[in-house]
Amino acid sequence: MALRHAVLAALLDEELSGYQVTKAFAAGVANFWHALPQQVYAELAKLEKEGLVAGREVVQEGRPNKRVFRVTGEGLAELESFASAAAKPSFLREDLLVQVQAADHLDAGVLIERLTERYAFAEAKAALFEEQLHRMRGGLDEADFLLRGASRVGPYLTCRRGRDFERANRDWCREVMEVLRARGAEGRGGA
Amino acid sequence: MALRHAVLAALLDEELSGYQVTKAFAAGVANFWHALPQQVYAELAKLEKEGLVAGREVVQEGRPNKRVFRVTGEGLAELESFASAAAKPSFLREDLLVQVQAADHLDAGVLIERLTERYAFAEAKAALFEEQLHRMRGGLDEADFLLRGASRVGPYLTCRRGRDFERANRDWCREVMEVLRARGAEGRGGA
DNA sequence: TCCTCATAGTCAAGAAAGTGACTAGTCAGT
DNA sequence: ACTGACTAGTCACTTTCTTGACTATGAGGA
């Protein structure tokens, strides 16, 4: 029951179509959630049936019509009740962690490949988030924006968490690679 | 197909029973994965049927007997092939992020409660990981342990990631709270 | 004696999430 | 005319995760 709230939260600031929500959640841009189109459409259908969002047909020229959704009063109430219940903390759950856990029994070269890929991915994603943050805060410096900025700070803060998360991933990958390389050199007759 | 590899990785360094694996994965201690007993037992049964782990009955006195498992050669091969395939990067997926995303539309007081809880949880968990790290590296300082330590560095490195993740969560919670409080004061007639 | 806790493990059912394939229209190139 | 990419949305299926209950045994405390 978390995707539904993520969808509601995404619709708070603007009316979006299912397709647009999907885009916002798509790999690379999602700062606070991730889901595939099928899940988003299914959830929107359920939310509409329950009256938490209201859909509206938008006729377009040159491309297919779409249905955009906005959050209703009931939807906002649902979000508030979600926020008043304790949030369950999530765990790190990443393939790469499992692979590094087994590092002492696996080939270091293969692992370093994985770490290199993840490093590049993290770097790229962090840069993307950084850009987004820059756009959001406009001309203002961060402290000013957060204290007195006119626009919504929620999305900014979650985006920051996303950026810092990927930076941490990147730094961890670098360090693990250093350790694996150093131990490899040591084992083959280094210092 | 990641739980199976997590279980294999957990069994690499010692023979464990399903119950012990569950404990290792239990909330609070799991540094690289999390799963409930039912999942662990089911996965172990499947792994044994496929010959990736081998079970052995251990008769105990004063408590129920147990079956402990060790990874077979085939199991290790499975892990190696898992490590040679690209790992899919995971996303942050946490209730609290959704709640903060909606922060501008919700009551700040309620959110601050959630953030306070998460802050305390993160702090406690980071401390736990820190203890574990200390135990693992024994007397050595970190650089020495990582380069020349006799014991396995995989678990140490994943534990470090867990600790840093929770520290980052803690710091983020603190900052979000500061922003919410500052904006609240501003709104009610501050500076 | 009864109660609770820790060890050790299992069954059944359901919600949530993920995968693959597919329709249908428009536009830009080649 | 054909190809590929983008917008917009849907169907069917499977895997994974979570919830709740349940069976045993033994140890320690009120």
Side-chain angles (χ1 to χ4, degrees):
Chain A
M1 288 278 201
L3 173 59
R4 78 184 302 112
H5 300 110
V7 171
L8 284 172
L11 293 175
L12 276 176
D13 291 312
E14 15 170 17
E15 276 189 319
L16 295 174
S17 69
Y19 190 76
Q20 288 172 299
V21 174
T22 297
K23 290 252 122 176
F25 281 0
V29 197
N31 45 336
F32 75 106
W33 206 259
H34 172 252
L36 297 165
Q38 298 91 319
Q39 293 171 265
V40 173
Y41 286 115
E43 201 58 53
L44 279 170
K46 262 195 278 180
L47 286 168
E48 191 177 21
K49 210 175 62 187
E50 294 172 37
L52 306 186
V53 303
R56 180 169 70 82
E57 188 87 18
V58 173
V59 179
Q60 297 186 115
E61 277 168 44
R63 64 187 54 186
N65 296 342
K66 62 180 177 181
R67 305 199 66 222
V68 295
F69 297 88
R70 65 178 175 74
V71 179
T72 63
E74 277 186 71
L76 193 56
E78 168 70 22
L79 258 182
E80 301 218 32
S81 97
F82 170 64
S84 28
K88 53 179 106 162
S90 72
F91 310 89
L92 274 181
R93 182 173 275 200
E94 193 160 329
D95 287 356
L96 190 53
L97 277 172
V98 176
Q99 294 168 355
V100 170
Q101 173 82 16
D104 304 285
H105 304 263
L106 300 175
D107 181 63
V110 172
L111 263 183
I112 286 175
E113 273 181 60
R114 296 290 85 70
L115 287 158
T116 306
E117 291 160 7
R118 187 71 182 84
Y119 180 96
F121 180 88
E123 180 86 328
K125 206 158 161 185
L128 232 115
F129 285 142
E130 187 59 52
E131 265 178 60
Q132 252 184 282
L133 290 169
H134 192 81
R135 264 203 307 284
M136 279 194 257
R137 65 176 178 262
L140 288 67
D141 81 5
E142 185 163 88
D144 250 38
F145 169 80
L146 286 174
L147 183 55
R148 281 178 289 273
S151 79
R152 312 295 175 193
V153 293
Y156 190 89
L157 291 165
T158 56
C159 192
R160 271 210 32 176
R161 183 73 191 91
R163 184 199 59 183
D164 293 347
F165 177 63
E166 290 304 342
R167 282 186 182 171
N169 281 329
R170 181 198 59 189
D171 294 345
W172 180 76
C173 285
R174 185 167 33 64
E175 251 207 77
V176 173
M177 284 193 278
E178 274 166 28
V179 170
L180 293 181
R181 287 205 181 101
R183 286 177 76 92
E186 194 82 348
R188 283 195 306 278
Chain B
M1 290 280 201
L3 173 59
R4 79 184 298 113
H5 300 111
V7 171
L8 284 172
L11 293 175
L12 276 176
D13 291 312
E14 17 170 17
E15 276 191 320
L16 295 174
S17 69
Y19 190 77
Q20 288 172 301
V21 173
T22 298
K23 290 253 122 175
F25 282 180
V29 195
N31 45 335
F32 74 105
W33 206 261
H34 172 252
L36 297 165
Q38 297 92 321
Q39 289 172 266
V40 173
Y41 285 115
E43 202 58 54
L44 279 171
K46 262 195 278 180
L47 286 167
E48 191 177 21
K49 210 175 61 189
E50 294 171 37
L52 306 186
V53 303
R56 179 170 71 81
E57 188 87 18
V58 173
V59 179
Q60 296 185 116
E61 276 168 48
R63 63 188 54 187
N65 296 342
K66 63 181 176 180
R67 303 199 67 223
V68 294
F69 297 88
R70 66 180 175 75
V71 179
T72 64
E74 277 186 70
L76 192 55
E78 168 70 22
L79 259 182
E80 300 218 34
S81 97
F82 170 63
S84 29
K88 52 179 109 165
S90 72
F91 309 90
L92 273 182
R93 181 173 274 198
E94 192 160 332
D95 288 355
L96 189 54
L97 276 172
V98 176
Q99 293 168 356
V100 169
Q101 173 83 14
D104 305 285
H105 303 263
L106 298 175
D107 180 63
V110 171
L111 264 183
I112 287 173
E113 273 181 61
R114 294 291 84 69
L115 287 158
T116 306
E117 291 160 8
R118 187 72 181 83
Y119 180 96
F121 179 88
E123 179 86 329
K125 207 160 160 183
L128 231 115
F129 284 142
E130 187 59 51
E131 264 177 61
Q132 253 184 283
L133 290 170
H134 191 81
R135 263 201 307 282
M136 279 194 258
R137 65 178 177 260
L140 287 68
D141 81 5
E142 186 164 87
D144 249 36
F145 170 79
L146 286 174
L147 183 55
R148 281 177 290 272
S151 79
R152 311 294 175 193
V153 294
Y156 190 90
L157 290 165
T158 56
C159 192
R160 272 212 32 179
R161 183 73 192 93
R163 183 199 60 185
D164 294 346
F165 177 64
E166 290 304 341
R167 281 187 182 169
N169 280 330
R170 181 198 59 190
D171 295 345
W172 181 76
C173 285
R174 184 166 33 64
E175 253 209 73
V176 173
M177 284 193 279
E178 273 166 29
V179 169
L180 292 181
R181 288 206 180 98
R183 285 178 77 93
E186 194 81 349
R188 283 195 306 277

